[in-house]
Amino acid sequence: MIKNITVIGGGSTGHMVAAVMSMRGFSVTLCDTEAFAKELDAVKALGGIQLRGAVRGTGVPSKVTTDPSEAVPGAEIIFVDVPADRHEEIARWIAPHLEDGQHILIIPGNLGSFVFRKVFRELGVKAAVTLTEKEGNFGPCRLSAPAEVTTGLPLNLKGKIASLPASDTGKVIKALEGVVEYTANENVFVGTINAGNVINHVASTILSAAEIDHKGKQYSLFKYAFTPSVVHCIEKIHDERKAVIEAMGLTEHGNPLGMVNMVQDIENHPEVHVFYEYMDGPCALDHRYLHEDCGCGGAFALSVAKRLGLAMPVLEAFLGVAGAINDRDYIHGGRTLENLGFPADMTFAEICGNI
């Protein structure tokens, strides 16, 4: 059974995962680059991480560091809890220190395994490690004070994962027994195409652009964004993506509009009260709600649709507007099939046979 866990991520999710795993008795190292020295120093100074909201307690990591040579060797599993824009940075940061038999779990996945694999190949990494992606995040949370995390929903150690290559998934699930209760997706594409945040975040953030600009840190998407017209657009994107999922020969996972529906009817859903009250943001449009959900899940879904001969006009329009807002080409520059290394003349069936 795994005993030594390294959590990479100086933000809210990294703090939460480190706290939860520490509270559950694992030896946890929390780390990130020098850019997060202030946040990590707070954990050291205060002696642990306080969890508030839907999950309560105090987790005390065994080690807190900005030195990858202290954080990576000896770890049996490495949780990577950073935004997708940082995947390449983190892959390069840890590459020289990896050891045979380590499992790298990217949360949320967002096709980050392709980025890590490319970097490791480029740098000539010899260590035999696995690369695995979780569908969705570990849980909604925010850093509410130094070394303090407010969690929005009760802890759920279940979920779906897939490795790259998919043949490694079973081995990783077995290694994770006693840590989490994950089950297998067919491959990493399945987790990304089902990611709920593409449905929840893209249209709502873009249609709230003026209010986000005005309110900044006082803005809360789940309090203010989900008006009838916004939800109508969200439903259109959902319908488009569901058609793509079905064309892939898959069944949609759950109801990605579930949280939207509950916060619209908050009086009858006290179980999401903490989520509604404390999950603020985005405070700006230069934010992971667009960079990640447009550039990863959104761009990927659109590229799969085109490969399968389907159109996603509503999602494509929103990705175009998001790109104009942030001066990014999410449609062509995101994690598309082409940018992941699958040429245009390769059929989708051939692609799936190679992951």
Side-chain angles (χ1 to χ4, degrees), residues 41-113:
D41 284 345
V43 175
K44 289 188 280 188
L46 295 171
I49 302 166
Q50 185 73 37
L51 295 180
R52 301 190 183 279
V55 183
R56 296 177 178 272
T58 301
V60 183
S62 303
K63 185 185 298 181
V64 181
T65 182
T66 57
D67 184 349
S69 70
E70 294 182 355
V72 176
E76 294 161 277
I77 183 166
I78 301 170
F79 286 96
V80 178
D81 299 295
V82 302
D85 276 358
R86 298 191 63 210
H87 283 165
E88 181 173 350
E89 171 199 2
I90 295 302
R92 294 184 182 280
W93 192 63
I94 68 174
H97 311 287
L98 293 169
E99 299 173 337
D100 286 347
Q102 292 179 313
H103 301 292
I104 299 172
L105 182 57
I106 306 164
I107 305 177
N110 283 318
L111 303 172
S113 58

Side-chain angles (χ1 to χ4, degrees), residues 17 41 43 143 182 289 318 342:
V17 174
D41 284 345
V43 175
L143 278 176
Y182 292 158
Y289 275 20
F318 275 106
F342 302 106

